[in-house]
């Protein structure tokens, strides 16, 4: 044990452990209270057709409006929510709210206005025995057609085991689509495409960063372009949709469109925003379509 390795080590080790366990217990309590108090809300980031610059979908991203700390980023609380298990009720809220909002947009603007809405799903949720029933209930209660819902999973989430595989098959059988998020950063992206009923891959931002620089370009730029091209070709060959994430300027958008990406996401195309702002965008689009 750490204790046998010497007093100094033990003190440091135990100290760090206790603090993190204590901190998790505390943050778990905080998250529970916040969930009950309605402090979590969703913002929506546009998924944009790169050629026509139309809104074709949204990704739902959770925010914590903390009474003292202000807006807390998911990077700060999702890991703790996963460790403490609070991600299960939090994820259920995100799923239900995304379905409710997407169904409302669908009812207001019609079937052509917004193709899909996607929440992120953590691996911990996939291990929850109620997950499939939760998805079914969220669809049923909102009236959202299953094929409008896209669940974003990271590769690490998908990797683990038979249970997850069965859950994903069941969700797929309902008509819900699955997206592999941050594609290309995991260890076995390619084998996952074969093993799971994936409908869409999201090219990770790290392959988009700097993709516009230099022609012929530096070695790093060329490598990014090669990955981006390979991913879209693979997806096309397998009949999967693609989204390029983290597009921050016009040149990146153009470059990705030339490489074969039809849909993109990023600050240049639209920041994560309140539902009401998405409603405004959809209303504008409807007016343009009608004109
Ligand atoms: P993600 O699913 O890959 O989401 C994309 C993240 O990149 C979002 O950060 C978004 O705001 C950010 N982003 C989008 N476009 C750009 C860009 O052009 N430049 C830069 N620098 N960033 C961009 P956010 O909202 O802070 O979320 C971070 C991560 O937290 C998400 O990564 C996702 O993994 C996780 N997350 C967010 N909401 C949820 C949720 O409801 N449930 C779970 N399980 N995870 C969530
Ligand atoms: Mg995502
Ligand atoms: Mg992503
Ligand atoms: Mg990401």
């Amino acid at each position: 044990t750490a204790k046998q390795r010497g007093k100094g080590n033990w003190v440091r080790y135990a100290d760090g452990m206790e603090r993190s366990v204590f901190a998790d217990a505390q943050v778990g309590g905080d998250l529970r209270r916040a969930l009950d108090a309605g402090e979590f809300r969703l913002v929506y980031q546009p998924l944009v057709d790169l050629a026509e610059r139309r809104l074709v979908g949204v990704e739902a991203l959770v925010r914590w409006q903390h009474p003292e700390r202000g807006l807390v980023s998911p990077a700060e609380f999702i890991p703790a929510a996963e460790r403490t298990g609070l991600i299960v009720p939090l994820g259920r809220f995100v799923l239900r709210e995304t379905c409710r909002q997407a169904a409302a947009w669908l009812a207001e603007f019609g079937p052509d206005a917004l193709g899909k809405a996607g929440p992120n799903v953590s691996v911990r949720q996939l291990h929850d025995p109620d997950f499939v029933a939760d998805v079914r209930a969220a669809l049923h209660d909102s009236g959202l057609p299953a094929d409008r819902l896209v669940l974003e999973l990271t590769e690490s989430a998908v990797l683990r085991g038979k249970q997850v595989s069965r859950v994903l098959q069941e969700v797929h059988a309902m008509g819900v689509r699955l997206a592999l998020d941050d594609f290309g950063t995991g260890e076995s992206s390619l084998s996952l495409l074969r093993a799971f009923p994936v409908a869409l891959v999201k090219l990770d931002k790290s392959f988009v960063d700097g993709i516009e620089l230099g022609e012929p370009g530096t070695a790093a730029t060329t490598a990014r372009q090669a990955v981006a091209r390979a991913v879209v070709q693979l997806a096309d060959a397998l009949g999967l949709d693609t989204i390029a994430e983290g597009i921050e300027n016009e040149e990146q958008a153009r470059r990705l469109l030339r490489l074969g990406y039809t849909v993109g996401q990023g600050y240049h195309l639209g920041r994560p925003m309140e539902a009401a702002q998405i409603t405004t965008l959809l209303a504008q689009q409807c007016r343009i379509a009608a004109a």
Side-chain angles (χ1 to χ4, degrees):
T1 66
K3 186 170 188 173
Q4 286 161 339
R5 264 179 253 132
K7 194 165 187 276
N9 275 343
W10 182 78
V11 170
R12 227 177 315 145
Y13 182 56
D15 192 38
M17 281 286 283
E18 263 171 85
R19 212 176 312 153
S20 94
V21 169
F22 177 72
D24 272 0
Q26 183 165 6
V27 86
D30 275 1
L31 290 167
R32 179 79 253 179
R33 180 200 54 74
L35 190 59
D36 294 339
E39 291 172 13
F40 291 102
R41 60 192 179 77
L42 299 186
V43 289
Y44 299 88
Q45 187 173 26
L47 308 177
V48 176
D49 182 297
L50 288 173
E52 297 173 12
R53 299 300 160 101
R54 280 180 78 246
L55 183 68
V56 294
V58 291
E59 174 173 5
L61 296 157
V62 71
R63 297 289 181 265
W64 181 3
Q65 187 72 59
H66 192 282
E68 285 121 42
R69 293 169 65 201
L71 207 58
V72 186
S73 128
E76 282 185 56
F77 63 86
I78 292 288
E82 288 173 340
R83 285 196 304 273
T84 57
L86 249 293
I87 193 69
V88 169
L90 177 60
R92 192 179 292 129
F93 161 77
V94 169
L95 176 68
R96 295 189 72 86
E97 182 59 14
T98 305
C99 289
R100 188 198 63 72
Q101 182 61 68
W105 281 322
L106 198 60
E108 188 168 357
F109 298 105
D112 298 331
L114 190 76
K116 50 184 173 283
N120 293 281
V121 173
S122 294
V123 63
R124 186 76 184 255
Q125 291 173 261
L126 300 177
H127 285 286
D128 176 54
D130 294 330
F131 182 73
V132 174
D134 284 344
V135 173
R136 192 173 283 116
L139 291 170
H140 177 268
D141 295 349
S142 65
L144 186 72
D147 65 355
R148 300 280 167 162
L149 181 64
V150 179
L151 302 180
E152 295 198 4
L153 310 161
T154 55
E155 296 170 68
S156 59
V158 182
L159 269 174
R160 294 175 223 171
K162 280 217 170 63
Q163 150 82 358
V164 165
S165 173
R166 196 178 55 241
V167 165
L168 294 180
Q169 291 294 347
E170 282 184 53
V171 170
H172 171 69
M174 275 182 229
V176 171
R177 287 180 289 171
L178 302 175
L180 275 186
D181 206 349
D182 305 332
F183 189 74
T185 57
E187 282 167 21
S188 53
S189 312
L190 300 184
S191 59
L192 286 177
L193 290 184
R194 229 184 15 182
F196 296 97
V198 173
L200 193 160
V201 297
K202 299 188 77 173
L203 179 71
D204 190 64
K205 180 180 186 304
S206 58
F207 302 111
V208 171
D209 286 339
I211 201 171
E212 77 283 19
L213 302 174
E215 185 124 51
T218 62
T221 300
T222 308
R224 285 188 194 100
Q225 290 179 0
V227 171
R229 187 182 294 114
V231 167
V232 79
Q233 285 172 350
L234 179 71
D236 283 349
L238 296 174
L240 310 177
D241 289 335
T242 53
I243 297 178
E245 23 170 65
I247 298 176
E248 294 185 340
N249 60 55
E250 182 57 27
E251 192 45 45
Q252 288 172 346
R254 293 214 187 113
R255 191 66 64 107
L256 288 158
L257 183 60
R258 275 207 297 280
L259 286 171
Y261 289 83
T262 55
V263 180
Q265 175 179 7
Y267 293 169
H268 178 64
L269 302 167
R271 295 213 167 223
M273 55 184 83
E274 303 295 326
Q277 291 174 277
I278 296 287
T279 305
T280 303
L281 285 177
L282 287 170
Q284 275 166 7
Q285 252 176 224
C286 274
R287 274 200 302 279
I288 291 167

